[in-house]
Amino acid sequence: MVIEIAENAGFCYGVMRAIEIADRALEKHKKIYSFGPIIHNPQVVEEYEKRGLKVVESIDEIKGPVLIRSHGVSPQMYSKLKEKGYEIIDATCPFVKEAQRYAKQLYDEGYKVIIFGDKDHPEVKAHKGFTDYTAVVINSEEEANNIKATRVGVVCQTTQSVERFGRVIGCLSKRIRELKVFNTICDATEKRQKAAKELASRSDLMIVIGGKNSANTRKLYEICRETAKKAYHIETEKEIKPDWFKGVKRVGITAGASTPSYLIHRIYNYIKSLS
Ligand code: SF4
């Protein structure tokens, strides 16, 4: 059985940066708070909790320095955190910040702002704040066809698929008189998706590693499922069933932006041991 790891699998620049910022903050403060998990990977979150990074769901639970994760926060939330009076450690990914700036710019220029993405994703919720919560979030061509406005400005959740974004923009461009689009899909996502698709096209089975709650991992899984004969989304090797590999000659592995390389290699070695 040939096992191959896709290029650009695993931690992206923004996640790596957030982890490094968290490491430095933990050295300095011993206990810090994160509003929501630092990254969408339960294993990494657990490890960091043991080291003193407490994940909270409500602002009232924050009792010390607070880390803003790579997804960023809305300006309204930032002000509330500031009011608490604790140090703010901002690990928002610079590419997410760029999308936030564009959302604000479109709003200030009077466009009806559309965010292409998942309405429940923290990054998208934060983007909405930059438009004073007037932006409409869409996630399909059907929803794009329901937009009624003459001046529309679009930004995109950084981890969305390029193809789907293109199709939605195609729909909007047929109906909207003035359309301004900022392609805010980040390079890391595009490169990871391309490499996964390429590997899936020459694999019998794809293993996609990453948190089940990670949007970018779920998207990678979608791409792999459409391209390879079989694909599975797992968080750890414990979910792997040896049956999956019966008659399989080529296995491809890819991983979402929140997956550490040690986990990818551990899973690679586990699959190798099965063959
Ligand atoms: S996927 Fe891109 S935008 Fe998101 S954190 Fe990583 S580098 Fe930043």
Side-chain angles (χ1 to χ4, degrees):
M1 198 158 75
V2 178
I3 311 162
E4 212 181 320
I5 299 175
E7 275 179 47
N8 307 104
F11 273 0
C12 62
Y13 159 74
V15 168
M16 186 82 86
R17 181 175 170 273
I19 291 280
E20 283 168 7
I21 291 174
D23 283 342
R24 284 199 297 273
L26 280 169
E27 262 173 42
K28 186 176 164 197
H29 298 289
K30 305 293 176 240
K31 180 149 192 168
I32 58 173
Y33 292 79
S34 158
F35 197 57
I38 176 173
I39 55 173
H40 284 156
N41 182 303
Q43 288 75 33
V44 176
V45 170
E46 205 183 307
E47 186 199 317
Y48 272 79
E49 283 212 317
K50 281 185 202 146
R51 290 174 51 195
L53 195 154
K54 187 164 171 49
V55 177
V56 294
E57 296 303 329
S58 118
I59 206 159
D60 300 329
E61 295 171 70
I62 295 170
K63 308 271 184 262
V66 57
L67 178 95
I68 297 178
R69 54 198 179 155
S70 57
H71 302 314
V73 293
S74 65
Q76 296 82 354
M77 175 58 78
Y78 194 92
S79 303
K80 281 186 193 165
L81 291 174
K82 225 170 160 189
E83 275 167 24
K84 297 278 292 182
Y86 298 116
E87 184 183 337
I88 298 177
I89 304 147
D90 192 354
T92 309
C93 174
F95 298 125
V96 172
K97 279 218 162 138
E98 187 178 54
Q100 293 173 341
R101 270 197 304 275
Y102 285 139
K104 181 170 183 337
Q105 182 188 321
L106 290 169
Y107 174 65
D108 289 344
E109 288 172 356
Y111 287 94
K112 176 75 203 158
V113 180
I114 303 294
I115 303 168
F116 176 66
D118 171 358
K119 68 176 178 6
D120 296 321
H121 193 280
E123 180 194 316
V124 172
K125 287 183 181 169
H127 288 345
K128 261 190 107 168
F130 284 83
T131 67
D132 241 338
Y133 295 100
T134 59
V136 174
V137 182
I138 61 168
N139 202 13
S140 67
E141 290 159 74
E142 199 188 338
E143 285 172 318
N145 285 331
N146 288 333
I147 299 294
K148 290 181 182 64
T150 44
R151 294 183 76 228
V152 168
V154 189
V155 293
C156 184
Q157 182 184 342
T158 53
T159 46
Q160 286 292 317
S161 114
V162 181
E163 277 94 0
R164 289 188 64 232
F165 185 52
R167 288 204 294 271
V168 162
I169 296 303
C171 287
L172 290 172
S173 64
K174 284 183 199 144
R175 312 175 46 252
I176 310 290
R177 265 189 93 184
E178 189 182 338
L179 182 65
K180 191 163 177 178
V181 180
F182 286 109
N183 178 358
T184 49
I185 296 177
C186 101
D187 236 27
T189 308
E190 201 178 326
K191 282 186 188 151
R192 191 181 305 100
Q193 288 175 353
K194 253 192 197 157
K197 194 168 181 171
E198 211 177 281
L199 181 57
S201 68
R202 55 186 146 88
S203 301
D204 303 314
L205 185 153
M206 282 296 290
I207 297 289
V208 183
I209 312 164
K212 299 272 163 71
N213 57 346
S214 152
N216 78 84
T217 310
R218 286 202 304 265
K219 256 170 217 110
L220 268 186
Y221 171 60
E222 240 173 67
I223 291 169
C224 292
R225 208 178 43 180
E226 280 166 13
T227 316
K229 289 176 195 142
K230 277 197 278 183
Y232 296 99
H233 176 181
I234 59 165
E235 285 184 356
T236 71
E237 64 273 36
K238 286 185 191 134
E239 293 161 77
I240 293 177
K241 296 201 171 62
D243 271 10
W244 295 352
F245 303 93
K246 268 189 195 153
V248 167
K249 289 201 174 68
R250 299 192 73 93
V251 178
I253 299 175
T254 187
S258 320
T259 307
S261 55
Y262 72 82
L263 187 61
I264 301 174
H265 286 98
R266 210 169 73 197
I267 290 174
Y268 171 88
N269 286 328
Y270 180 76
I271 297 172
K272 208 170 162 194
S273 76
L274 295 175
S275 72

